[in-house]
Amino acid sequence: MNVRIEIDTKTFVRFWLVVIGFALAILAIYSALSALIIIGAAFFLAMALNGPVSHVAKILPGKSRVGATAIAYVVVVLLLGVFIFLVVPPIVEQTAKFIETLPAVFSSLTSQWQGLNTFIVEHNLQSQLDGALASVKNSASGWATNAGATLLNGLGSVFSVVTATFLVLVLSFLMLIEGPVWLDRLWGVYNNKQRMESHRKLADRMYNVVTGYVTGALTVSAIGSFFTGVVVFILCLIFNMPLNLALPSAAIAFVLSLVPMFGATIGGIIISLLLALNSVSAGIIFAIYFIIYQQIENNFIAPTIQSKRVELSALAVLVSITIGLYVFGLAGGIISIPIAGCMKVLVEDYMERAKRNRAQSDNAVTKLVKKIRGKDQEQVQEV
């Protein structure tokens, strides 16, 4: 049996217009991905600073939100400047120190070359060694040829980071100032007051999820960085290392621990390597401390501080972080958990409304059935 389905031209054209529209929207989002990341980072920074700004605005004589926002941004810029001042010079110093020790390392290898040469001759490994040396030489010459381009790309990346940071600060500054005005305009559009209150409560719940997560993450990172700085300071005293390694280590631990799941581990590895450049024993001891502290933080500190702030399962957290990192990079990994928490709030609200509507529908059907049954009983009594 053959079935023929006829579709008019208008429906066919509408279908393909919708498909093309979705494709263009996805292409536009992909093309503006960098801009969307900057806007998203500014939005989350504005939400994180909204509470302190509102509190400071109430304390100021004129209750000026602009003045409170300016104070908050002076603090943020000072913290960024202190971070750069504390982190960059010691890292540059340790890198230079490592480069200075390379000749001694090569001299030690040269002194041991005789025994190694005997081993190579005995096992007929000369051809493999020559091939490896030729490959290293070609790679070095290629790197030297492209050194200028690499330097320019590095400068371009630094410029891009500085520009993006400036845009994030400016956008979040404007969001903090104009945010309450736009919210008042948004709630003023509603004609149905009950619906407006419902949506307002929903927005407040999502706001509490984001601010609660940000506050908890900052608290956990601050605790971890404090103990990291203390441990590194003690190791510097014991192993006679520069004391200025403590502050950059604490700053690195604070910033990288803000990245969920993997950031703290990366920070611990960097600090361990930084200490190992001065003393291998100090690097090993810090690595052991870091492993022990991570167990304490993951099982006691973080659950106690972050309890009932986002309420996401481990699987949901890992999925959201994976999507955020692979789609939006490092910034996506940082904001993925609060976004997942907001989506959870939306899904829960939808499920609650669906449950209420279903209950109201069931009640209406039940009342209708009872009414019909009552009429039937009255007819039976009359007969």
Side-chain angles (χ1 to χ4, degrees), residues 219-229 250 253-254 257 289 293 297 301:
T219 304
V220 173
S221 298
I223 294 173
S225 64
F226 171 77
F227 284 109
T228 297
F254 178 81
S257 61
Y289 151 78
Y293 176 79
E297 180 183 283
I301 299 177

Side-chain angles (χ1 to χ4, degrees), residues 24-40 327-328:
L24 291 176
I26 294 173
L27 180 61
I29 292 173
Y30 181 78
S31 301
L33 191 58
S34 300
L36 293 176
I37 291 174
I38 292 175
I39 294 172
V327 177
F328 298 107

